[in-house]
Amino acid sequence: MIIRARSSPVNYRVVAILVSLLLPAQAIGCTNGNRASDQPLVTTTTQSTQATTTTTTSPPNCDDASICTTRQLADAAGVTFGTAVAAAHLDETDYRTTLLTTFNSVTPENELKWASVHPAPNTWNFGPADKIIDFAKTNNLQVKGHNLIWDQEFVDSTPDWVLAIDDPTQLRSAATDHIRTVMRHYRGAVDRWDVVNEPLQTLGADLYDNHFRQVLGDSYIAEMFAIAHDADPTARLFLNEATVELLPDKAAALVALVKDLVDQGAPIDGVGIQAHLVAGTIDAVAVRRLIDDLEGLGVEVAITELDVPTFTGADPLATQADTYSQALGVCLDANCREVTLWGFTDRYTWIDAMFGPGRAPLPFDRYYRPKPALTAIRERLSATAE
Ligand code: XIL
């Protein structure tokens, strides 16, 4: 029996602790105010007991970029511009309106993680994710599925009942049932999936020695891609990884891992670079090299969880805007076709649990007012459309 200590996800990212020790604290952000619109729009909202429907009418003519919604700029650029969303917030009018005028894609933040959607054997909890996916269908948003397999110490993504299976045949069978059932439930509605999330050590360059690796061996990654491809051959399948923007050895390990998968013929379509950055610290040259190396293997590359907490600097919001600009710029210049943010309003961000409140990592403030980061994002999308 393999026994694992589990702890709160809040504590899990060692790198967060390192970053917070390295950088002096400086609280920023707005403390009051009213909502200001991102762009001109007309919104009609109706609530029903079945579902919440929001219809947003954007300016019909979007030749002048200054009056286009950010979503229109993304559409015109052919860019999938997404955000993590939480089902619990979809009932909030400002949340919905800002989401619909800014993004053309959503990723459920937690609702599709194994422990959430399949908490016990033969127990399925599709309700919260269904709410997001129904909302996406109604409003013509793409959906990325996040994620099918993710096990790390201090992360509560894989439920304890799965961690208790130490027989390879039984674990393979549980993973097959999980992946098939979830992917087939959303077939046609979710066009791409993170099949394996964070297979590498958080701060190292080896495979994370997680439960799946311990029981199934290193080949678990290729196996999970094969199971996912069999479950829904129409879905694009991604491997998603963290901190490769920061750590050159880990970036090289990611390229080697993906090369190995491609060489084996594993059905991998893309690689997600999470990009949980810190304002003022992006090394765009290194990120470009990583994207080029991955694209050279024949897979697509996306930024999948971008957020930019602020810590230092005379003008933290300007520094943050510059980091957003560089992140989008390096990806879009290298022909990435997706940039997804890990949320959009400082009102709801996992960074508060990681670093404490006040890091204001997202392009709208707590009151849905656009920040300089949004202007930077809009400029990058406009430039890509030209
Ligand atoms: C985070 C969520 O934002 C939190 O609400 C949750 O408590 C923990 O997980 N990398 C990932 C995401 O791939 O799934 C994580 O999301 C953030 C880091």
PDB file of all heavy atoms in Angstrom, residues 115-135:
ATOM      1  N   ALA A 115     -11.335  14.732  -8.432  1.00  0.00           N
ATOM      2  CA  ALA A 115     -11.962  14.715  -7.101  1.00  0.00           C
ATOM      3  C   ALA A 115     -13.299  15.441  -7.108  1.00  0.00           C
ATOM      4  O   ALA A 115     -14.179  15.149  -6.298  1.00  0.00           O
ATOM      5  CB  ALA A 115     -11.036  15.355  -6.075  1.00  0.00           C
ATOM      6  N   SER A 116     -13.465  16.382  -8.027  1.00  0.00           N
ATOM      7  CA  SER A 116     -14.712  17.132  -8.085  1.00  0.00           C
ATOM      8  C   SER A 116     -15.773  16.373  -8.887  1.00  0.00           C
ATOM      9  O   SER A 116     -16.916  16.227  -8.449  1.00  0.00           O
ATOM     10  CB  SER A 116     -14.434  18.503  -8.714  1.00  0.00           C
ATOM     11  OG  SER A 116     -15.636  19.161  -8.978  1.00  0.00           O
ATOM     12  N   VAL A 117     -15.384  15.862 -10.036  1.00  0.00           N
ATOM     13  CA  VAL A 117     -16.379  15.291 -10.950  1.00  0.00           C
ATOM     14  C   VAL A 117     -16.649  13.807 -10.678  1.00  0.00           C
ATOM     15  O   VAL A 117     -17.696  13.279 -11.054  1.00  0.00           O
ATOM     16  CB  VAL A 117     -15.926  15.534 -12.417  1.00  0.00           C
ATOM     17  CG1 VAL A 117     -14.811  14.598 -12.840  1.00  0.00           C
ATOM     18  CG2 VAL A 117     -17.097  15.469 -13.380  1.00  0.00           C
ATOM     19  N   HIS A 118     -15.724  13.142  -9.993  1.00  0.00           N
ATOM     20  CA  HIS A 118     -15.830  11.684  -9.790  1.00  0.00           C
ATOM     21  C   HIS A 118     -15.278  11.366  -8.401  1.00  0.00           C
ATOM     22  O   HIS A 118     -14.251  10.700  -8.254  1.00  0.00           O
ATOM     23  CB  HIS A 118     -14.992  11.009 -10.904  1.00  0.00           C
ATOM     24  CG  HIS A 118     -15.104   9.531 -10.988  1.00  0.00           C
ATOM     25  ND1 HIS A 118     -14.306   8.795 -11.841  1.00  0.00           N
ATOM     26  CD2 HIS A 118     -15.906   8.631 -10.358  1.00  0.00           C
ATOM     27  CE1 HIS A 118     -14.597   7.507 -11.728  1.00  0.00           C
ATOM     28  NE2 HIS A 118     -15.556   7.381 -10.841  1.00  0.00           N
ATOM     29  N   PRO A 119     -15.959  11.876  -7.357  1.00  0.00           N
ATOM     30  CA  PRO A 119     -15.380  11.842  -6.005  1.00  0.00           C
ATOM     31  C   PRO A 119     -15.330  10.459  -5.369  1.00  0.00           C
ATOM     32  O   PRO A 119     -14.567  10.252  -4.432  1.00  0.00           O
ATOM     33  CB  PRO A 119     -16.305  12.771  -5.210  1.00  0.00           C
ATOM     34  CG  PRO A 119     -17.586  12.792  -5.973  1.00  0.00           C
ATOM     35  CD  PRO A 119     -17.233  12.604  -7.412  1.00  0.00           C
ATOM     36  N   ALA A 120     -16.152   9.539  -5.843  1.00  0.00           N
ATOM     37  CA  ALA A 120     -16.156   8.177  -5.286  1.00  0.00           C
ATOM     38  C   ALA A 120     -16.431   7.212  -6.437  1.00  0.00           C
ATOM     39  O   ALA A 120     -16.963   7.622  -7.472  1.00  0.00           O
ATOM     40  CB  ALA A 120     -17.235   8.057  -4.208  1.00  0.00           C
ATOM     41  N   PRO A 121     -16.077   5.936  -6.286  1.00  0.00           N
ATOM     42  CA  PRO A 121     -16.337   4.992  -7.377  1.00  0.00           C
ATOM     43  C   PRO A 121     -17.815   5.038  -7.769  1.00  0.00           C
ATOM     44  O   PRO A 121     -18.688   5.053  -6.897  1.00  0.00           O
ATOM     45  CB  PRO A 121     -15.975   3.627  -6.765  1.00  0.00           C
ATOM     46  CG  PRO A 121     -15.098   3.936  -5.597  1.00  0.00           C
ATOM     47  CD  PRO A 121     -15.473   5.293  -5.108  1.00  0.00           C
ATOM     48  N   ASN A 122     -18.084   5.110  -9.059  1.00  0.00           N
ATOM     49  CA  ASN A 122     -19.467   5.155  -9.575  1.00  0.00           C
ATOM     50  C   ASN A 122     -20.278   6.352  -9.077  1.00  0.00           C
ATOM     51  O   ASN A 122     -21.499   6.321  -9.104  1.00  0.00           O
ATOM     52  CB  ASN A 122     -20.226   3.863  -9.226  1.00  0.00           C
ATOM     53  CG  ASN A 122     -19.537   2.658  -9.811  1.00  0.00           C
ATOM     54  OD1 ASN A 122     -19.090   2.711 -10.964  1.00  0.00           O
ATOM     55  ND2 ASN A 122     -19.379   1.619  -9.022  1.00  0.00           N
ATOM     56  N   THR A 123     -19.629   7.386  -8.605  1.00  0.00           N
ATOM     57  CA  THR A 123     -20.329   8.606  -8.184  1.00  0.00           C
ATOM     58  C   THR A 123     -19.851   9.745  -9.066  1.00  0.00           C
ATOM     59  O   THR A 123     -18.657  10.069  -9.061  1.00  0.00           O
ATOM     60  CB  THR A 123     -20.024   8.924  -6.712  1.00  0.00           C
ATOM     61  OG1 THR A 123     -20.430   7.806  -5.931  1.00  0.00           O
ATOM     62  CG2 THR A 123     -20.747  10.179  -6.252  1.00  0.00           C
ATOM     63  N   TRP A 124     -20.766  10.319  -9.807  1.00  0.00           N
ATOM     64  CA  TRP A 124     -20.407  11.359 -10.765  1.00  0.00           C
ATOM     65  C   TRP A 124     -21.088  12.655 -10.374  1.00  0.00           C
ATOM     66  O   TRP A 124     -22.281  12.667 -10.100  1.00  0.00           O
ATOM     67  CB  TRP A 124     -20.807  10.942 -12.186  1.00  0.00           C
ATOM     68  CG  TRP A 124     -20.111   9.679 -12.585  1.00  0.00           C
ATOM     69  CD1 TRP A 124     -20.581   8.404 -12.436  1.00  0.00           C
ATOM     70  CD2 TRP A 124     -18.787   9.569 -13.121  1.00  0.00           C
ATOM     71  NE1 TRP A 124     -19.631   7.503 -12.860  1.00  0.00           N
ATOM     72  CE2 TRP A 124     -18.532   8.186 -13.292  1.00  0.00           C
ATOM     73  CE3 TRP A 124     -17.806  10.479 -13.488  1.00  0.00           C
ATOM     74  CZ2 TRP A 124     -17.325   7.707 -13.804  1.00  0.00           C
ATOM     75  CZ3 TRP A 124     -16.613  10.004 -14.006  1.00  0.00           C
ATOM     76  CH2 TRP A 124     -16.376   8.635 -14.153  1.00  0.00           C
ATOM     77  N   ASN A 125     -20.318  13.723 -10.381  1.00  0.00           N
ATOM     78  CA  ASN A 125     -20.838  15.034  -9.984  1.00  0.00           C
ATOM     79  C   ASN A 125     -20.645  15.995 -11.158  1.00  0.00           C
ATOM     80  O   ASN A 125     -19.735  16.812 -11.168  1.00  0.00           O
ATOM     81  CB  ASN A 125     -20.060  15.509  -8.742  1.00  0.00           C
ATOM     82  CG  ASN A 125     -20.418  16.912  -8.332  1.00  0.00           C
ATOM     83  OD1 ASN A 125     -21.582  17.311  -8.439  1.00  0.00           O
ATOM     84  ND2 ASN A 125     -19.430  17.668  -7.873  1.00  0.00           N
ATOM     85  N   PHE A 126     -21.516  15.826 -12.166  1.00  0.00           N
ATOM     86  CA  PHE A 126     -21.359  16.633 -13.375  1.00  0.00           C
ATOM     87  C   PHE A 126     -22.001  18.017 -13.266  1.00  0.00           C
ATOM     88  O   PHE A 126     -21.783  18.873 -14.108  1.00  0.00           O
ATOM     89  CB  PHE A 126     -21.978  15.899 -14.576  1.00  0.00           C
ATOM     90  CG  PHE A 126     -21.146  14.746 -15.066  1.00  0.00           C
ATOM     91  CD1 PHE A 126     -21.648  13.449 -15.047  1.00  0.00           C
ATOM     92  CD2 PHE A 126     -19.868  14.956 -15.559  1.00  0.00           C
ATOM     93  CE1 PHE A 126     -20.872  12.384 -15.504  1.00  0.00           C
ATOM     94  CE2 PHE A 126     -19.093  13.902 -16.020  1.00  0.00           C
ATOM     95  CZ  PHE A 126     -19.598  12.612 -15.991  1.00  0.00           C
ATOM     96  N   GLY A 127     -22.817  18.225 -12.246  1.00  0.00           N
ATOM     97  CA  GLY A 127     -23.617  19.453 -12.168  1.00  0.00           C
ATOM     98  C   GLY A 127     -22.823  20.747 -12.331  1.00  0.00           C
ATOM     99  O   GLY A 127     -23.134  21.564 -13.205  1.00  0.00           O
ATOM    100  N   PRO A 128     -21.785  20.973 -11.510  1.00  0.00           N
ATOM    101  CA  PRO A 128     -21.070  22.257 -11.618  1.00  0.00           C
ATOM    102  C   PRO A 128     -20.419  22.461 -12.989  1.00  0.00           C
ATOM    103  O   PRO A 128     -20.495  23.559 -13.567  1.00  0.00           O
ATOM    104  CB  PRO A 128     -20.022  22.162 -10.502  1.00  0.00           C
ATOM    105  CG  PRO A 128     -20.635  21.218  -9.501  1.00  0.00           C
ATOM    106  CD  PRO A 128     -21.379  20.211 -10.322  1.00  0.00           C
ATOM    107  N   ALA A 129     -19.815  21.418 -13.546  1.00  0.00           N
ATOM    108  CA  ALA A 129     -19.205  21.580 -14.867  1.00  0.00           C
ATOM    109  C   ALA A 129     -20.275  21.747 -15.941  1.00  0.00           C
ATOM    110  O   ALA A 129     -20.116  22.540 -16.886  1.00  0.00           O
ATOM    111  CB  ALA A 129     -18.299  20.394 -15.187  1.00  0.00           C
ATOM    112  N   ASP A 130     -21.398  21.024 -15.798  1.00  0.00           N
ATOM    113  CA  ASP A 130     -22.501  21.180 -16.763  1.00  0.00           C
ATOM    114  C   ASP A 130     -22.974  22.627 -16.808  1.00  0.00           C
ATOM    115  O   ASP A 130     -23.319  23.151 -17.870  1.00  0.00           O
ATOM    116  CB  ASP A 130     -23.697  20.312 -16.370  1.00  0.00           C
ATOM    117  CG  ASP A 130     -23.499  18.839 -16.695  1.00  0.00           C
ATOM    118  OD1 ASP A 130     -22.471  18.497 -17.322  1.00  0.00           O
ATOM    119  OD2 ASP A 130     -24.372  18.037 -16.306  1.00  0.00           O
ATOM    120  N   LYS A 131     -22.984  23.272 -15.651  1.00  0.00           N
ATOM    121  CA  LYS A 131     -23.453  24.661 -15.602  1.00  0.00           C
ATOM    122  C   LYS A 131     -22.551  25.545 -16.474  1.00  0.00           C
ATOM    123  O   LYS A 131     -23.030  26.400 -17.228  1.00  0.00           O
ATOM    124  CB  LYS A 131     -23.448  25.149 -14.145  1.00  0.00           C
ATOM    125  CG  LYS A 131     -23.927  26.565 -13.968  1.00  0.00           C
ATOM    126  CD  LYS A 131     -24.077  26.896 -12.494  1.00  0.00           C
ATOM    127  CE  LYS A 131     -24.385  28.374 -12.308  1.00  0.00           C
ATOM    128  NZ  LYS A 131     -24.621  28.733 -10.919  1.00  0.00           N
ATOM    129  N   ILE A 132     -21.253  25.321 -16.375  1.00  0.00           N
ATOM    130  CA  ILE A 132     -20.313  26.111 -17.182  1.00  0.00           C
ATOM    131  C   ILE A 132     -20.466  25.763 -18.662  1.00  0.00           C
ATOM    132  O   ILE A 132     -20.517  26.641 -19.532  1.00  0.00           O
ATOM    133  CB  ILE A 132     -18.866  25.855 -16.718  1.00  0.00           C
ATOM    134  CG1 ILE A 132     -18.672  26.354 -15.287  1.00  0.00           C
ATOM    135  CG2 ILE A 132     -17.865  26.512 -17.678  1.00  0.00           C
ATOM    136  CD1 ILE A 132     -17.325  25.990 -14.671  1.00  0.00           C
ATOM    137  N   ILE A 133     -20.595  24.488 -18.937  1.00  0.00           N
ATOM    138  CA  ILE A 133     -20.610  24.072 -20.346  1.00  0.00           C
ATOM    139  C   ILE A 133     -21.933  24.460 -21.008  1.00  0.00           C
ATOM    140  O   ILE A 133     -21.957  24.866 -22.170  1.00  0.00           O
ATOM    141  CB  ILE A 133     -20.225  22.588 -20.441  1.00  0.00           C
ATOM    142  CG1 ILE A 133     -18.686  22.546 -20.271  1.00  0.00           C
ATOM    143  CG2 ILE A 133     -20.618  21.964 -21.771  1.00  0.00           C
ATOM    144  CD1 ILE A 133     -18.124  21.440 -19.533  1.00  0.00           C
ATOM    145  N   ASP A 134     -23.014  24.417 -20.270  1.00  0.00           N
ATOM    146  CA  ASP A 134     -24.290  24.908 -20.820  1.00  0.00           C
ATOM    147  C   ASP A 134     -24.204  26.403 -21.098  1.00  0.00           C
ATOM    148  O   ASP A 134     -24.678  26.891 -22.133  1.00  0.00           O
ATOM    149  CB  ASP A 134     -25.441  24.649 -19.833  1.00  0.00           C
ATOM    150  CG  ASP A 134     -25.780  23.169 -19.738  1.00  0.00           C
ATOM    151  OD1 ASP A 134     -25.282  22.387 -20.573  1.00  0.00           O
ATOM    152  OD2 ASP A 134     -26.519  22.793 -18.803  1.00  0.00           O
ATOM    153  N   PHE A 135     -23.601  27.133 -20.183  1.00  0.00           N
ATOM    154  CA  PHE A 135     -23.411  28.575 -20.368  1.00  0.00           C
ATOM    155  C   PHE A 135     -22.554  28.834 -21.613  1.00  0.00           C
ATOM    156  O   PHE A 135     -22.845  29.726 -22.425  1.00  0.00           O
ATOM    157  CB  PHE A 135     -22.728  29.150 -19.121  1.00  0.00           C
ATOM    158  CG  PHE A 135     -22.401  30.612 -19.199  1.00  0.00           C
ATOM    159  CD1 PHE A 135     -23.362  31.575 -18.933  1.00  0.00           C
ATOM    160  CD2 PHE A 135     -21.122  31.033 -19.530  1.00  0.00           C
ATOM    161  CE1 PHE A 135     -23.051  32.933 -18.994  1.00  0.00           C
ATOM    162  CE2 PHE A 135     -20.800  32.381 -19.599  1.00  0.00           C
ATOM    163  CZ  PHE A 135     -21.774  33.335 -19.330  1.00  0.00           C
TER     164      PHE A 135
END
